[in-house]
């Protein structure tokens, strides 16, 4: 491909690109915390801003087909919606939050951890869709290796995050009708988090437990 340039035609240095992404990511984190009335230590803000900012640049590059050119946009790259690193990082952190609430609410229950689920109970369409997509991990990684197109991995986890959101909206997890069903849905949450984390790390992005 071609060199990355501004609209004026000037070539942008990688270090400048990363510093600008870090600056914008930090501003976004601080604005979100202020809007939520949350106070977090400086280490937390710095860690989140770095993970989101650097991750956004990596993901924006890898998510595009390497055989074609694309228009770079900070706003699109750092968006919390769409096929972006921030969206994936928030999706992972959201699931980890569900798991933490399960542990707090059900500290003495074996269903608080998905490892104790005896089997999956997949009755709702959203559960089945999520489970089927999780099973596509192996073939997807094989395609990426064969075609040398990491963009396929990005497409896979983008679809995974969307299917998890549909599952979570349609299927109560902690409020499931039975203990068996709750264990099954917690297991789906745990598997989804594990697959998201694995794929983010394959892309060189470290997932965050909390954002």
């Amino acid at each position: 491909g071609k060199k990355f340039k501004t609209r004026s035609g000037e070539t942008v240095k990688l270090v400048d690109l990363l510093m600008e992404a870090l600056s914008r990511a930090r501003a976004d984190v601080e604005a979100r915390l202020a809007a939520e009335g949350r106070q977090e230590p400086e280490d937390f803000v710095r860690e989140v801003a770095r993970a989101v900012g650097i991750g956004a640049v990596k993901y924006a590059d890898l998510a595009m087909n390497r055989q074609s050119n694309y228009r770079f946009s900070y706003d699109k790259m750092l968006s919390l919606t769409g096929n972006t690193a921030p969206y994936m990082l928030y999706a992972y952190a959201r699931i980890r939050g569900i798991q933490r609430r399960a542990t707090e609410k059900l500290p003495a229950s074996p269903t608080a951890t998905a490892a104790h689920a005896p089997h999956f109970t997949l009755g709702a369409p959203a559960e089945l869709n999520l489970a089927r997509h999780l099973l596509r991990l192996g073939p997807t990684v094989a395609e990426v290796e064969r075609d040398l197109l990491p963009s396929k991995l990005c497409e896979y986890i983008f679809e995974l995050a969307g299917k998890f959101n549909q599952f979570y909206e349609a299927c109560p997890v902690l409020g499931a009708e039975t203990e068996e069903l709750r264990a099954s849905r917690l297991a789906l949450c745990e598997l989804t988090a594990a697959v998201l984390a694995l794929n983010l790390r394959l892309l060189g992005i470290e997932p965050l437990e909390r954002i």
Side-chain angles (χ1 to χ4, degrees), residues 120-131:
F120 288 100
T121 303
L122 306 175
E127 290 174 312
L128 289 167
N129 289 337
L130 177 58

Side-chain angles (χ1 to χ4, degrees), residues 123-131 163-164 166-171 188:
E127 290 174 312
L128 289 167
N129 289 337
L130 177 58
K163 290 182 185 300
F164 177 82
Q166 293 168 4
F167 155 74
Y168 191 64
E169 291 173 3
C171 305
L188 274 179

